[in-house]
Amino acid sequence: KKRILIFGDSHIHQYSKRIKEVFGKDFAIDIFSQPSCYIGKKYKSFYEKNGKVVVIQKNGFNENVVCNNLIKDFSAYLKNYFPDIIITGQRWQGVVENFPTTFSVEELIYDKLDILSEKKFKHLIIVGSSADINFECKKKQLRYITSGLFDFKCDLPQSKNIPQQNFIKETKLLNVKNNIHFIYPYEYFCDTNGNCELISKIGKNN
C-alpha cells in the first residue's frame, strides 16, 4: 500500500483528518506532528513559552519531551519506510521571527529538504501558514450580518500577515525540483490587499 507522510507542527496537523478521509482508502497515512515542534536536518527542535521561543539547540534536543520523542520516532521512521507523498508545514513565521538567531525562509525550506534528501518520494508538498484572523470577532461579525444588523470592522493590522505574504513571495523564487509543490492557505483567506475573511462572498467556509 502506498504511503503519505505528514510531519510538522499543529499548522499541518489541522489538515490531517481531512487528508485521511480523502486518501485513507488508498494510502497508509503516517503522521508526525506536535504543536511548536520543528523537525529539520540542521535545526531539529524548538518550543514556545508564552508565545516566545526560549530554547533551541542545534543538532540536539530541548526540554520539550514530547517534541524530542516525536523527533526520535520520525528519525526511526525515515530509516524504515519510504513514503510516496510527503506533506510538511509549520507556523513558518513563528520560526523565522522567534528563534534567537537569524533565519531566512530559504534556509528553513532547504533544512526541511535536507532531512528528506535520501528519500525518493514522488511528491513533496510544502504548506504555508494560514492567515492570522481575529476569529472571535469575525464570528460575532457574521452573526450581526445574518441578523440584518449593522456591520463592523474587526480586522487585525495588516502587518500581522506580512510574514505569510513574504513566505509566498520568497518560496515562489526558490529553485526546487518539479516534484516539490507549495500550497498557500493564506491565499484562500485573504485578497491581494491583505483583507482576510472566514466566509467567502458566496457563503462558503474558507
Side-chain angles (χ1 to χ4, degrees):
K1 195 172 185 179
K2 294 182 178 180
R3 312 190 80 89
I4 294 177
L5 165 64
I6 302 170
F7 77 99
D9 63 8
S10 58
H11 280 247
I12 197 64
H13 185 80
Q14 64 182 320
Y15 304 112
S16 59
K17 181 179 179 181
R18 183 58 178 159
I19 291 172
K20 286 191 288 185
E21 289 175 351
V22 175
F23 299 104
K25 290 183 179 180
D26 300 316
F27 291 85
I29 312 293
D30 305 312
I31 303 172
F32 294 85
S33 63
Q34 168 67 22
S36 298
C37 190
Y38 177 83
I39 305 174
K41 178 72 172 181
K42 187 177 180 181
Y43 297 96
K44 291 186 177 180
S45 58
F46 79 95
Y47 81 103
E48 294 184 31
K49 187 175 184 180
N50 298 325
K52 183 179 180 181
V53 173
V54 294
V55 173
I56 174 175
Q57 295 185 13
K58 184 177 179 179
N59 295 324
F61 300 104
N62 58 39
E63 58 191 75
N64 186 322
V65 176
V66 177
C67 181
N68 290 339
N69 290 338
L70 182 76
I71 292 168
K72 293 175 183 177
D73 291 343
F74 181 78
S75 298
Y77 172 91
L78 289 182
K79 293 178 181 178
N80 296 292
Y81 294 94
F82 300 88
D84 300 273
I85 298 172
I86 302 174
I87 305 172
T88 187
Q90 300 280 154
R91 185 177 182 272
W92 300 100
Q93 65 270 30
V95 184
V96 173
E97 294 176 350
N98 294 329
F99 271 11
T101 185
T102 301
F103 282 81
S104 67
V105 168
E106 180 178 7
E107 182 178 3
L108 289 177
I109 295 300
Y110 284 116
D111 189 40
K112 288 282 189 182
L113 295 179
D114 285 346
I115 201 171
L116 303 170
S117 59
E118 297 180 3
K119 293 295 172 185
K120 295 182 179 180
F121 50 82
K122 291 182 178 179
H123 296 282
L124 168 62
I125 300 170
I126 300 175
V127 182
S129 304
S130 56
D132 283 325
I133 296 176
N134 190 335
F135 185 71
E136 291 302 322
C137 183
K138 287 291 186 180
K139 286 198 299 183
K140 186 175 181 180
Q141 183 186 58
L142 181 62
R143 288 198 295 270
Y144 268 69
I145 294 172
T146 54
S147 300
L149 301 175
F150 64 89
D151 190 10
F152 58 92
K153 298 284 185 181
C154 58
D155 292 326
L156 290 171
Q158 288 192 7
S159 59
K160 289 287 291 184
N161 284 313
I162 287 178
Q164 289 92 324
Q165 296 167 1
N166 289 341
F167 179 88
I168 295 171
K169 292 176 183 177
E170 292 179 44
T171 52
K172 285 184 176 180
L173 295 175
L174 295 181
N175 183 21
V176 295
K177 295 180 179 179
N178 293 333
N179 64 336
I180 298 175
H181 318 279
F182 288 92
I183 293 178
Y184 307 110
Y186 175 84
E187 293 184 331
Y188 291 89
F189 287 95
C190 310
D191 60 25
T192 54
N193 295 319
N195 299 310
C196 305
E197 298 292 342
L198 293 175
I199 306 295
S200 68
K201 292 181 179 180
I202 59 173
K204 183 179 179 181
N205 289 332
N206 283 333

